[in-house]
Amino acid sequence: DAGVTQSPTHLIKTRGQQVTLRCSPKSGHDTVSWYQQALGQGPQFIFQYYEEEERQRGNFPDRFSGHQFPNYSSELNVNALLLGDSALYLCASSLGGVNGEQYFGPGTRLTVT
Amino acid sequence: DAKTTQPNSMESNEEEPVHLPCNHSTISGTDYIHWYRQLPSQGPEYVIHGLTSNVNNRMASLAIAEDRKSSTLILHRATLRDAAVYYCILRDPWSAGAGSYQLTFGKGTKLSVIP
């Protein structure tokens, strides 16, 4: 049983460019959350998708957007990249219940130059 | 979500028990206490969670103070693989509505295990 998978593993982009990160949830999970983790900090919640809709959003600008597909996989898009967007982007999946544990993927390391 | 306070770092000898403290003095009656850990170069992984009673699973034990203002994650025999950042997180599932929730991470406690 595959856990949460993310692609790509690493990515280097230039300021102003756009990036798309991908996530496949753990088998049987229907909810996907995205987190940003800066170096030396804990992960910060970006948003959560359930039934192909954004259900909750953290304190991130509209440059961050996402999508969930009918097979529950998800994409995170970031437009107009800034140097400060350099971070580890984590995807977590869970069942839509109120207190289910979240399973995290290994993350995508984004570097903006 | 209510805030938690954890020590920045702790050290333990291999095969010794480890007690990782967490203070949450403003915890509400419906906040669950969750623990996650993040090994180097990996995403966080769930360890344990509880509401009022002490909890045990194959990974660890969670001891919750009677007034719920603090809790302790107990690793019974630390191994080198337990070296990680441990996060104590409070979450009130009912505040977010059924079917959705987020985790609010702090900086956690970096646990070093000495061989």
Side-chain angles (χ1 to χ4, degrees):
Chain A
D1 175 27
V4 179
T5 59
Q6 293 186 242
S7 63
T9 306
H10 296 87
L11 203 52
I12 300 175
K13 290 286 189 177
T14 304
R15 272 181 302 176
Q17 286 188 316
Q18 178 264 344
V19 68
T20 297
L21 311 181
R22 296 176 176 81
C23 171
S24 291
K26 181 178 168 64
S27 178
H29 284 184
D30 57 7
T31 303
V32 172
S33 302
W34 286 92
Y35 293 79
Q36 179 196 65
Q37 186 172 25
L39 208 58
Q41 304 294 318
Q44 300 299 305
F45 176 76
I46 302 175
F47 43 53
Q48 183 182 86
Y49 276 83
Y50 175 68
E51 292 188 341
E52 302 180 49
E53 289 190 359
E54 183 183 291
R55 298 197 61 146
Q56 283 186 325
R57 189 178 183 90
N59 189 24
F60 279 81
D62 292 344
R63 296 187 298 109
F64 290 77
S65 63
H67 188 78
Q68 186 179 34
F69 299 93
N71 66 353
Y72 307 122
S73 66
S74 177
E75 288 182 349
L76 164 65
N77 301 293
V78 186
N79 294 322
L81 285 167
L82 304 174
L83 295 179
D85 294 332
S86 294
L88 180 67
Y89 288 85
L90 295 159
C91 168
S93 75
S94 58
L95 281 172
V98 295
N99 214 24
E101 61 184 89
Q102 292 195 352
Y103 289 78
F104 285 80
T108 294
R109 172 70 63 187
L110 172 65
T111 302
V112 182
T113 62
Chain B
D1 288 331
K3 284 195 172 182
T4 62
T5 304
Q6 300 177 252
N8 290 333
S9 61
M10 291 183 64
E11 274 188 357
S12 173
N13 293 318
E14 195 176 11
E15 299 188 4
E16 295 286 320
V18 183
H19 290 231
L20 295 161
C22 181
N23 288 320
H24 28 79
S25 59
T26 59
I27 190 170
S28 74
T30 49
D31 279 327
Y32 281 75
I33 303 160
H34 292 250
W35 284 82
Y36 279 74
R37 72 179 185 181
Q38 188 170 19
L39 279 64
S41 302
Q42 294 188 27
E45 66 173 343
Y46 167 83
V47 177
I48 200 167
H49 78 278
L51 182 61
T52 56
S53 303
N54 295 343
V55 184
N56 300 296
N57 66 22
R58 63 174 181 81
M59 289 181 68
S61 295
L62 175 60
I64 301 172
E66 195 169 336
D67 63 6
R68 299 206 331 121
K69 293 184 184 301
S70 66
S71 60
T72 303
L73 179 70
I74 303 166
L75 307 179
H76 296 287
R77 285 186 66 198
T79 68
L80 296 179
R81 196 195 172 276
D82 292 321
V85 177
Y86 286 78
Y87 297 99
C88 171
I89 299 165
L90 300 185
R91 183 186 161 260
D92 179 354
W94 312 114
S95 70
S100 65
Y101 72 91
Q102 60 177 285
L103 296 172
T104 302
F105 290 82
K107 289 192 174 183
T109 296
K110 184 175 182 179
L111 175 66
S112 300
V113 179
I114 303 166

